[in-house]
Amino acid sequence: MPSQFGPPIDLSDLANFQQADLRPRRPVFVGRVSTKDNQNPASSIPRQVVLASERLEPGEEFVAFYWDVESGMLPPEMRGLGPQEMYDALSVPTPRDGGLQDLVDRAEHLGVTHVLAERSDRVARAMLTTLTVEHQLQQAGVEVVYANEPVGGTESGRLRARRSSQVDAEIYRTTLMEMSTGGQIQHAINGWNHGYPPYPYVAVIDEHAPAQERGRFGVNRPKRKLEPHPDSRRFEAARELCRLRREEHLKAADIIAILAAEPDLYPIEDRWTHNRVEGLIANPKLTGYQVYNRKASRTGREGFSRLNPVSKWVWSPTVVHEPVISLQEWKQAQEVTAGLRAGQAGGPLLRIRAAAGQLGLTVTPVGSSDSHTLYRIGGRQVALPTPIPDMVVQQVIEDMESAT
């Protein structure tokens, strides 16, 4: 903008009267729509282009279009990870040269001078993210322009409007998260399941749940509760798996070997793995309670979920589905797991199993009571107390060695 306090005579013929920008203007469009299911990218993205293009110079056109179908709560590096086939299937008439992260990476190389968007929350709903993107583009000599900002006036007024808009976007984001989290908490308290059902269960529609009216975006998903899997062996397999950790202090590899040795008793799709075993042992839903907020899935790292502390978990007030183990048994298993990870020595049964393995024998539980468990060791059965005293462990080992 020329100064209103100009020279007393005409100096416009001087070479340095105006700062020459040797770069030609190369404006690009940036946009975003949250989801392909609850919104229509085929109409939203072109509408954003029309609004953003109002800030183009006369006769100017966008040289490229960068847009995503992603949540505005995700950082740029988590955007645009969907396959190109997904974007092609959306039938959006606006071409797509990449997503937000692509724009940030390529802006300087492509000689982009201006980035135009409908408003700041089309970049992100988190203020830190929009500020970071703006700063990175500014470092590359790129000006970011939002169509909903006022034209003219003071720089401070323009900045105030921009920051107010960004604050509004972040407050809206936080409000959405609060309402969504509140709804998910009530969902768990009422006994309805989140995510995939654990190994010994299936998720079935709760016929007694309140009828869901058709919402703004179509029919709401039905409420589901957990019921035992039709294959009753799964329940027994999960119970035995937890017992092996709780009473015998076995590590995942040892548990896998026991389960894999008897596939008819412990059925599994494909095969038992470390993650499956540890995941089941750690899953509090096996206690019959519904539990929510065990993991923070959006951490900024693709495919990574951070475990929340137990103090942040949300539990249903009562048992809402048939339990595999008691809550006290689950707690004991977690204590054993913590001890194993800390490098503590194995339990009594682990020593018996190790000695039996050296002799080519297997140790298999046959039945149990509150005070004893009956095991089959090789060709004979042995009743051992719970817990097993060290002197009994030594006696069992000596008996096995003498018998062979």
Side-chain angles (χ1 to χ4, degrees):
M1 185 176 80
S3 171
Q4 59 179 317
F5 305 104
I9 63 173
D10 183 12
L11 302 179
S12 61
D13 55 340
L14 294 179
N16 64 339
F17 183 75
Q18 289 185 331
Q19 183 176 0
D21 189 352
L22 301 180
R23 299 185 308 165
R25 279 179 59 95
R26 290 181 60 82
V28 301
F29 164 81
V30 65
R32 180 188 60 79
V33 61
S34 293
T35 69
K36 62 182 176 61
D37 299 316
N38 294 343
Q39 294 174 293
N40 185 1
S43 59
S44 180
I45 294 298
R47 180 188 62 79
Q48 294 177 40
V49 172
V50 170
L51 293 173
S53 64
E54 294 180 1
R55 300 300 292 271
L56 292 170
E57 296 289 335
E60 197 171 52
E61 295 181 351
F62 290 119
V63 300
F65 299 84
Y66 295 90
W67 51 272
D68 293 312
V69 179
E70 295 283 5
S71 167
M73 302 179 190
L74 293 178
E77 63 271 17
M78 295 293 291
R79 305 273 189 88
L81 300 179
Q84 185 58 42
E85 292 77 14
M86 181 198 80
Y87 283 96
D88 293 340
L90 297 176
S91 301
V92 178
T94 303
R96 184 176 185 270
D97 298 283
L100 179 62
Q101 187 62 53
D102 298 314
L103 168 61
V104 174
D105 293 340
R106 304 171 187 170
E108 185 172 11
H109 176 72
L110 297 177
V112 175
T113 59
H114 294 77
V115 169
L116 278 63
E118 176 195 5
R119 56 180 190 264
S120 64
D121 64 359
R122 294 302 181 185
V123 174
R125 292 199 181 278
M127 188 172 182
L128 178 60
T129 302
T130 55
L131 293 176
T132 301
V133 170
E134 289 173 7
H135 176 72
Q136 291 175 328
L137 292 174
Q138 186 181 39
Q139 294 296 102
V142 180
E143 180 182 354
V144 179
V145 180
Y146 300 125
N148 68 333
E149 292 180 350
V151 179
T154 63
E155 175 63 16
S156 61
R158 185 196 66 81
L159 187 62
R160 182 185 299 277
R162 174 169 295 192
R163 295 295 178 259
S164 296
S165 176
Q166 291 167 338
V167 168
D168 289 342
E170 180 141 351
I171 291 175
Y172 179 71
R173 164 187 175 271
T174 304
T175 301
L176 283 179
M177 290 299 296
E178 288 174 347
M179 292 190 296
S180 175
T181 301
Q184 297 300 325
I185 289 174
Q186 290 300 317
H187 186 90
I189 288 176
N190 289 334
W192 296 314
N193 188 59
H194 292 84
Y196 293 104
Y199 165 79
Y201 296 101
V202 292
V204 300
I205 296 176
D206 185 359
E207 301 293 346
H208 302 291
Q212 298 290 304
E213 297 181 0
R214 184 179 180 85
R216 175 184 174 189
F217 302 117
V219 179
N220 291 317
R221 288 180 294 180
K223 306 295 185 182
R224 296 180 182 272
K225 60 182 180 180
L226 295 180
E227 287 189 356
H229 195 279
D231 188 345
S232 60
R233 294 176 299 171
R234 289 188 174 224
F235 235 65
E236 295 305 318
R239 184 176 288 119
E240 174 62 9
L241 178 150
C242 293
R243 190 198 66 78
L244 290 171
R245 171 59 54 83
R246 183 180 66 255
E247 296 183 5
E248 303 194 25
H249 295 208
L250 296 186
K251 296 182 179 179
D254 300 314
I255 295 175
I256 290 172
I258 293 172
L259 300 179
E262 300 191 67
D264 291 338
L265 288 179
Y266 312 122
I268 187 68
E269 300 90 351
D270 192 13
R271 61 190 178 88
W272 289 101
T273 64
H274 180 277
N275 287 342
R276 279 178 169 175
V277 169
E278 293 293 349
L280 269 177
I281 292 172
N283 197 325
K285 293 183 182 180
L286 269 59
T287 66
Y289 289 86
Q290 192 57 250
V291 185
Y292 167 68
N293 200 39
R294 293 195 300 131
K295 297 180 180 180
S297 57
R298 285 182 174 169
T299 60
R301 291 173 56 189
E302 182 183 2
F304 178 79
S305 297
R306 183 181 67 247
L307 294 177
N308 289 327
V310 178
S311 60
K312 292 188 176 181
W313 295 2
V314 176
W315 298 71
S316 60
T318 60
V319 170
V320 293
H321 51 261
E322 185 176 342
V324 174
I325 56 176
S326 70
L327 187 54
Q328 186 62 34
E329 289 173 330
W330 178 86
K331 180 182 179 182
Q332 292 170 356
Q334 310 319 301
E335 292 170 343
V336 173
T337 298
L340 291 174
R341 290 176 177 172
Q344 294 179 5
L349 271 172
L350 184 58
R351 293 159 53 195
I352 294 176
R353 284 188 182 276
Q358 293 176 352
L359 299 172
L361 305 175
T362 59
V363 180
T364 305
V366 177
S368 63
S369 64
D370 293 339
S371 59
H372 288 72
T373 300
L374 183 65
Y375 294 92
R376 184 173 64 250
I377 304 178
R380 65 194 185 108
Q381 294 185 348
V382 179
L384 299 178
T386 304
I388 307 174
D390 288 340
M391 60 180 299
V392 174
V393 172
Q394 188 60 35
Q395 183 63 51
V396 171
I397 294 175
E398 291 176 358
D399 291 345
M400 287 191 297
E401 293 172 344
S402 63
T404 56

